[in-house]
Amino acid sequence: MLNDSSTIGKEPVIKCESVYKIFGNNAAKLLANASGPISAEEFQKAGCIIGVNNASFEINKGEMLVVMGLSGSGKSTLLRCISRLTDPTSGNIFIDGKNLLEMNSKQLIELRRNKMGMVFQSFALLPHKTVLENIAFPLIIKGLPTDESITKAMEMVELVGLKGRENYFPRELSGGQQQRVGIARSLAVEPDIWFLDEPFSALDPLIRKEMQDEFLRLQDSLHKTIMFVTHDFDEALRLADRIAIMKDGIIEQLDTPDNIVLNPATEYVKKFTEDVPREKVLKIESIMDKYNQSLAGNNTVSKDAIIETVAESILESKENLTVIDSKKNNEPVGILQPSKVIKVLFGK
Amino acid sequence: MFEDIKKSRQKQFLFLFFIFLILYFFVPKNEASYFWRLPPLLKDIPLIFNTLLDNLMFNWFTVPVWDPDWQMYEDKTLFRIITRSISNSVLFFIIFIREIFLGGYQTVSSILGDGITKTFSWLYIPALPWTAVVIGAAIIGYKLEGIRLAIIAGIGFLYVSVFGQWEPSMQTLSLVLFTAPVCFILGLSLGIWGYLSKRVEATLQPILNVAQTMPHFSYLVPIVVLFGVGDHAGSIATIIFATPPMVRLTILGLKKISPEVIESGLMSGCNKFQLLFRVLIPTARRDILIGVNQVIMQCLAMTTIAAFIGAKGLGFNLKVALNSLKIGKAAEIGICVVIIAVVLDKLSLAWANKQKDYFANLGFYQRNRLSIFFIFFTIICSIVAFFASYYFPEGFNYLYLIPFNKGLTVSPILDAFVDWIWNTFFYYLNTFNIFLLTNVLGPMKQAYLNMPVISTFLLFMGAGYIIGGIRSCLIVGSLILFIALSEYWDRALITLYMATFAVSVSAISGIIVGSLCSQNNFASKSILSLCDFFQTFPSFIYLIPVILLFGITDTSVMIAAIVYASVPATRYTVEGLRSVPPSLHDAGSMSGVSKMQRWRLIDLPLALPHIMLGINQTVIFALMMIVLGALIGTEDLGQLIMGSLSRPNGAGIGFTLGIFISFICLAVDNLIRTWSNERKKLLGIE
Amino acid sequence: MVKFFKGFILASVILSFTIFGSIAKAADPIRIPVLNWSSQIVMANVMAQIFEEQGFTAELVPAESASRYEAVRIGDLHVAHETWESTMALPFYEAMDKGGLIDAGSHDLITFEEMGIPNWVIDEGLCPGLPNWEALKSPECAANFATADSGGKGRWLEGPYEWHTDVMPNRLKGLGIDDLWMVKFAGSADALWAELDAAKKEGRGTVIFNWSPNFTDASGFTFIDFPPYFEGCRLENGGSLETTGCGSPKGWLKKAAHIKFPITHPAAYKFYTKMSFTAPQIGLMADLVDNQGMSHADAATQFIADHRDLMDLWMN
């Protein structure tokens, strides 16, 4: 999940062009003479409610975009526009270069059966089916023979660590286990695009942490293109390649976690970043100086390491460190003064 | 003072009652005064209905149809051709199912033509010996759930057979096996349709309300006119009665599905068909299964009534037994009805809950083991029965079918029991009866009849206004107005008087019994089963003992109505009290309340909205039974509804009066439901 | 989704009815109504067995006593074989007037339907002078027949209102005893029999509507002698208040048939018109079931066997 251009394809998998979703009868009239974000007063005047207000962005192959916002910010609506569970009021959405909004229901079903998977906040498991049947459900819907679906589903059961519970009913499982089933189901058809709608919000904090780790582990091996919605800023920081922060339907800022923390674009974003311990977010890259052979020390540190994880060893070595790029043959890219780390840790 | 009244609902009601009394005593009883009685402007409705029916059946849209009997063309209306072809297909299915159990040649002859069975006398469906059916039922029970259900199903059918009710039971069963699935499919389809379209739901709602609250007897005659007499007519009457709860529960269940589940179905790539059948319906299963349970209960509750228009089976035998006052025999038959209900209910539930085993790698024999057993046993039983026919010289083959007068019977014991009650309690009961009639029921009836129409309206519309504002006020008012403008207002008042009495007593006794029983698990369960029993046990059976004890008086009608109408009051009280969250109990206990205080201050207020829905049902049940009470002898709307059965032009009058009864229910329903919903919102239950 | 579903429902409904409406042209058995008393059911079984002997198929259909005439008229039932004059004449003639129902003759017996008292009421001397109606004029007598809801008057328990509407209340007025007696309408025949039992247990007098032949004949029942009936004596037939106190006429027991029955099943119709039972025969039919415990079908078989010559006579 590194924001590294070399592992991410150039072609965007998902591309949104000024997507609007407006609820209310006068939506079309409101949009007819609008360009760019529409102001709150205009909505009130038209008696409409805003879901998504002029969203444009791209998600590249293998990238994880986390959409963060409080309830009512339109983040789930945006996700549902892109999965076309609701139709956007205007704008364009391209999936692998194909216009999603021009697809007929047959094409849409094809797309969902083969390319998309989605995980829901309330798990949304079918109560009458066992764990195994729930996971096999998309495969059976797709038309696979039953025994093949079951075999495949069994693999997924193992993948999410639920072996031995495949014949349980959802009501017999804990919340965390249920969400594992939800994850397994969404992955059963081996989709390229993975939507997660606040998947861990309904879980208690310990389980949530565990599930996040589990999720990172999965993504490490699967490299899906992910759109992940959450209201938890810490979660966003922990998982994201890039974060989009939404408020009242508008994307306030879309950037990498460290950039958001270092350079909040608006007052609103700033409110979130203020309390964030920087060392947990920032990578060495963001506090290193230009490479200068004469100043470089013997000890090295990876430019992608989160400060917190390496702080102790940096502080122990009194001298400057050489920052290297672990993906490019450990080529030195900068130097790091330990004092900068101290600054991040203890002051402004 | 007015400020005061605005705030307190209690004072509003007192004020309303005060005006009511003023009007009651000061409006003169003058037939010409519209304050006393409204003119019967709508008295032609029954006539219009009859004419409509007559025209549909005999005059409008006629097409010439070749009549092979007369050797000429006869004009038949399109409508009649349609209704009769529905009758034909319904009858075909019922007879087909019936002949699987009891044998016969009608199915063969209706498919291959009448002559064929005469030419080939071997061409018929042979009857299954009862032993085979009993084993079959047990095997199905075993397959669906296990040994427990196998025993229930087997013993149930064994009882039916051994007590000599085999033939009528199978006739009833075949009717139910056709009707219940139709109700299920129809109810499910309409429910889904209502769920998908707001407009359809809005149209369905009033139709369901009327179908559920209209007394059965009021639509029997129209059905006979439209569809003829016979098993099909009984089946159609049952469908009208048993489908509405299925529709309602389907809509309810589907509405409860969280949108995320639907989205998850969509994201799994479901097309519309898959979404409906793989996601929506299974997810709403809980409520749909309650619907199935209701369908089965209602179907069997209708057996006796269906017998009025030609359905064969237990209901008809029950009527014959009652006509000669064989109460014990009738009770035995009634128990058969309950048994069939229980077995079908349990089997359908088990079927719906059945799980599939994906990992069992079974051979042909293992997979079809039970079917093979069944075929094997059927053959064995048939052979045994065949040879047994040589051993029973008097012509009854007990291993094939036990005739009704050769089975076991406990009816002498039951009859002795009724006699004992009669002998022991008669004089006490008689004293009570005289007291009740002279001091309570008689004066109450007079008081109702002396009520000027204006004060009745004031009471109903005022209550509507206080509870639900102007909207409820108008709805209730127009429902009552419809009745007031007919010539049956006085009879409606008598119905109202009986309903008031029966409902008050049922409600109070139901709430008390329910509250006592809800105190512990075992008692709750027992009382709920008892409620199930009384809901399916044909109510006709206790009409007769009641007459023996209380004579042909209003008391008898009241007692019968109270027995029947206490069922929902009790059931809803138990359910309501059981669903009060335990945390509130604890909170109560910690504030040091006594058991009685807890019941009065915590449990009852919280459960009251639910209990009120039970009272709502009590009103409907009481009115149904009061109409049935016409079989004892009453002078209310029910008497005319029952009488319409034996009138040549009874369809119109029966139907109209049925609508009246339904409107009374709906008016009460509107008041109670509005109150209960508001209350629920207030308490945050929902 | 709605559209799809509408189409789905519509298609399945149309499909099922076109298929089954056409193939299920049910064989046309002779449909005989069965009511809820024994003699009527046994007679229906006798007819069914004879018809089958003649090569027809017959089906017994449970029905209601009065509404079956409409069913006969439309052709849903083929016959109505026990038609009592006083209680069923009205719907019988009404259906005949509308067309579709024909009169297939009468049974060889005289029926009588009237208010009466069980014999023990006379034996106990609850109303000296009965069965002469004049005895009813005594207030002491009326008091013995009072119930809790009769307002101190003696009670007549009449059958359901539809049977004779206002004949009995008018009769009380005509006889001038309506200040001593009132009429209560029972809801059904069952209620009448229950009242017979209950009154006996209580030792309270009861005047109830009854008919003969009936199963109550066995336990002793006496009809009250009212002033004799004559054509037009009742108010509703143009009589006056003075004459409307008249009693009931001796009546017939008719057989009704659907108008096509003679054509569709000629031999059966011939038997049906000739068929004519006497009071003892009808009594025997009831007796076989009620007292000897036979099933209705067995009783019919037994009855046919015992009256073979009669059956053969009617068949040819």
Side-chain angles (χ1 to χ4, degrees), chain A residues 122-125, chain B residues 195 253-264 279-280 283:
Chain A
S122 65
F123 322 133
L125 301 177
Chain B
Y195 166 75
L254 289 173
K255 276 191 173 167
K256 276 204 295 207
I257 298 176
S258 88
E260 287 207 335
V261 169
I262 300 170
E263 288 177 343
S264 85
V279 178
L280 290 177
T283 307

Side-chain angles (χ1 to χ4, degrees), chain B residues 13-74:
Chain B
F13 272 113
L14 277 178
F15 183 65
L16 177 71
F17 195 64
F18 178 66
I19 305 182
F20 167 76
L21 286 182
I22 292 181
L23 285 173
Y24 186 97
F25 288 111
F26 289 95
V27 171
K29 298 176 185 19
N30 175 0
E31 288 300 330
S33 156
Y34 288 166
F35 288 131
W36 169 246
R37 290 291 185 261
L38 293 179
L41 295 177
L42 297 177
K43 66 165 184 279
D44 286 337
I45 289 184
L47 207 68
I48 294 169
F49 186 82
N50 277 338
T51 320
L52 177 78
L53 217 52
D54 215 42
N55 282 329
L56 277 176
M57 293 307 286
F58 301 106
N59 296 333
W60 291 341
F61 312 114
T62 53
V63 285
V65 176
W66 176 251
D67 184 340
D69 303 329
W70 286 129
Q71 292 291 315
M72 58 184 263
Y73 282 98
E74 189 187 18

Side-chain angles (χ1 to χ4, degrees), chain A residues 306-324:
Chain A
I306 302 283
I307 295 175
E308 189 191 31
T309 59
V310 291
E312 209 179 332
S313 56
I314 294 172
L315 293 181
E316 271 169 11
S317 78
K318 303 275 185 303
E319 51 172 16
N320 289 350
L321 293 93
T322 307
V323 181
I324 55 169

Side-chain angles (χ1 to χ4, degrees), chain B residues 17 53 60-61 79 279 290 314 326 466 542 579 595 675 677:
Chain B
F17 195 64
L53 217 52
W60 291 341
F61 312 114
F79 191 72
V279 178
I290 300 176
L314 292 168
K326 289 178 186 147
I466 295 172
Y542 41 83
S579 62
K595 226 175 177 178
W675 180 84
N677 283 345

Side-chain angles (χ1 to χ4, degrees), chain B residues 568-569 572 607-620 669 672-677 680:
Chain B
Y572 279 73
L608 205 55
H610 193 73
I611 294 177
M612 284 314 278
L613 294 180
I615 305 297
N616 204 353
Q617 290 292 308
T618 299
V619 174
I620 297 173
D669 174 83
I672 292 182
R673 211 171 276 277
T674 313
W675 180 84
S676 164
N677 283 345
K680 270 186 183 167

Side-chain angles (χ1 to χ4, degrees), chain B residues 422-485:
Chain B
W422 199 6
N423 288 327
T424 319
F425 298 108
F426 181 78
Y427 291 99
Y428 307 104
L429 288 175
N430 199 34
T431 321
F432 166 74
N433 187 13
I434 291 169
F435 166 80
L436 193 69
L437 278 168
T438 44
N439 293 315
V440 183
L441 294 178
M444 195 171 162
K445 182 173 171 183
Q446 267 318 307
Y448 271 69
L449 284 171
N450 285 337
M451 185 158 57
V453 71
I454 178 86
S455 52
T456 319
F457 268 88
L458 179 93
L459 199 61
F460 270 94
M461 293 177 72
Y465 184 72
I466 295 172
I467 291 172
I470 195 75
R471 193 183 134 85
S472 277
C473 169
L474 288 179
I475 292 177
V476 171
S478 44
L479 288 172
I480 305 284
L481 183 67
F482 192 73
I483 307 174
L485 287 177

